[in-house]
Amino acid sequence: FGTVRVWNGATWQYYSSQTSRFLRSVSGYSDTCAWAVGDLGTITRWTGSGFQLETSITSENLYDVEAVSENEAWAVGDGGTVLHRTAGGWEAVVDPNLPIDIDYRSIVMTADEDIMIVGVDGVIMHYTSGVWNPLKSDALGAPALYSLVLDPVSGNMVIAGERGKIITYDGMSFSSQITGTTDDVFIVRADPAGMLWAGGSDGLVLMNTGMGWTPVFTGDTEDVRDMDFLPSGDIWTAGGSDDGSCVSWKVLHFDGGDWTPYGESGS
C-alpha cells in the first residue's frame, strides 16, 4: 500500500511515497538518490528529504529496480517489461530478442553495458555487446527465478528461485547448489565482506561463507523478501506475510549478536 520507511541510523522514519499502490523493490545510488517501483508501473524517487513520483510509461507491475547513477536506473516487471531511465526520463526497452510474454522478477548490471534479467519459467536474459540473448540451463528445471546477484569473490552470477533453487553461472555453464531446503528463495545478496546471503518463505535465511549454504536461525517465521547490509556488518531483512485478508510486514535486524524484529500489521 505504498508503505516506505527510511532508516536514519537510529530509528525508522515515516515518509509518504506519494502512492497507495504496492511497492516491491528499492535501489539506491546515494543518500539522496533511490528509486522504488511497484504495481501498475509505479515509480517513486527518494531525493534525500522525501519521495517524488516519476512519470512511468507502463501499467504493468514492476518487481525490481537497479540504480546505476544519479540519473540512470533499470526496472523490470510483468509482461516482458524492461524500462531504462536516463536524464531524459523513463523509456521502454524493446528488442526482438526480449520476450514480451514473460514476467521478469530481477535485474542486475554486472558491468558497463552488461546486464542480466531473470523471471518466471526459468527465463534468463543476458545483454552484452549490444545484444540481448536468452540463456538456457538444464540445472534449473524451469522454476520461477526471483533474484540474482554477482558474487564478488568468484565473479559468478548467483540466481535464486522457487523450491529452494540456487544456481551459479560462470559465464559458460550453470551448476545447481545444495541448499537443504525446498522453500522458495526470494532474495540473494552479497554483504560488504563478500559473503552470500539468501532469504525466502517461512522465515528462511541462508548464509554461504564459501563452504556451502547453511541455515541461520532468526527466531521468526514470516517470509523474507529482501535484505541489505550496512558497512559495519549489520544485516536488515524485509518481508512479512499475506493470508488473503490481512497483510503484515516484518523487518529483522542483526547487529552481529542478536536478531531484533520490527513489525506492524494492517489490512
Side-chain angles (χ1 to χ4, degrees):
F1 303 108
T3 300
V4 294
R5 301 288 187 269
V6 178
W7 178 257
N8 66 3
T11 60
W12 285 97
Q13 296 182 309
Y14 290 64
Y15 285 87
S16 170
S17 66
Q18 310 301 324
T19 182
S20 60
R21 295 171 180 169
F22 276 32
L23 297 172
R24 302 188 180 274
S25 182
V26 61
S27 179
Y29 177 76
S30 70
D31 287 344
T32 60
C33 175
W35 287 273
V37 300
D39 286 4
L40 298 175
T42 301
I43 303 172
T44 186
R45 175 173 172 148
W46 168 253
T47 65
S49 59
F51 286 87
Q52 296 178 349
L53 285 178
E54 295 199 330
T55 300
S56 177
I57 56 173
T58 183
S59 60
E60 297 283 359
N61 294 340
L62 300 174
Y63 279 83
D64 197 20
V65 60
E66 174 92 341
V68 178
S69 72
E70 294 283 347
N71 290 312
E72 185 180 7
W74 292 79
V76 295
D78 288 344
T81 300
V82 180
L83 304 180
H84 183 207
R85 186 195 192 278
T86 62
W90 290 90
E91 58 183 29
V93 177
V94 179
D95 187 280
N97 291 329
L98 276 174
I100 61 174
D101 58 347
I102 291 293
D103 296 336
Y104 297 124
R105 290 293 177 261
S106 187
I107 181 170
V108 165
M109 177 175 284
T110 61
D112 186 35
E113 298 301 316
D114 193 307
I115 301 167
M116 288 190 71
I117 301 173
V118 298
V120 302
D121 298 327
V123 66
I124 305 174
M125 300 301 301
H126 185 208
Y127 181 80
T128 183
S129 301
V131 179
W132 287 98
N133 290 304
L135 301 178
K136 300 294 183 181
S137 167
D138 293 337
L140 292 176
L145 301 176
Y146 299 123
S147 180
L148 71 165
V149 69
L150 182 67
D151 183 347
V153 176
S154 68
N156 295 337
M157 188 63 65
V158 181
I159 305 170
E162 65 179 352
R163 303 193 300 273
K165 282 284 189 178
I166 297 181
I167 64 168
T168 59
Y169 177 65
D170 62 6
M172 297 293 293
S173 61
F174 293 90
S175 61
S176 185
Q177 298 195 345
I178 297 174
T179 63
T181 182
T182 57
D183 288 327
D184 292 343
V185 183
F186 298 127
I187 189 71
V188 60
R189 289 283 187 261
D191 68 19
M195 186 182 301
L196 295 175
W197 295 79
S201 59
D202 298 325
L204 175 71
V205 175
L206 302 172
M207 64 179 293
N208 189 332
T209 62
M211 302 297 291
W213 292 96
T214 58
V216 176
F217 179 73
T218 67
D220 193 79
T221 59
E222 295 198 53
D223 293 352
V224 175
R225 294 280 177 171
D226 204 355
M227 57 175 53
D228 213 335
F229 314 89
L230 294 178
S232 59
D234 287 28
I235 303 170
W236 292 91
T237 76
S241 62
D242 180 1
D243 64 6
S245 62
C246 182
V247 176
S248 67
W249 66 262
K250 178 65 66 69
V251 167
L252 299 176
H253 175 217
F254 181 69
D255 61 4
D258 299 306
W259 290 89
T260 302
Y262 297 79
E264 179 183 25
S265 298
S267 60

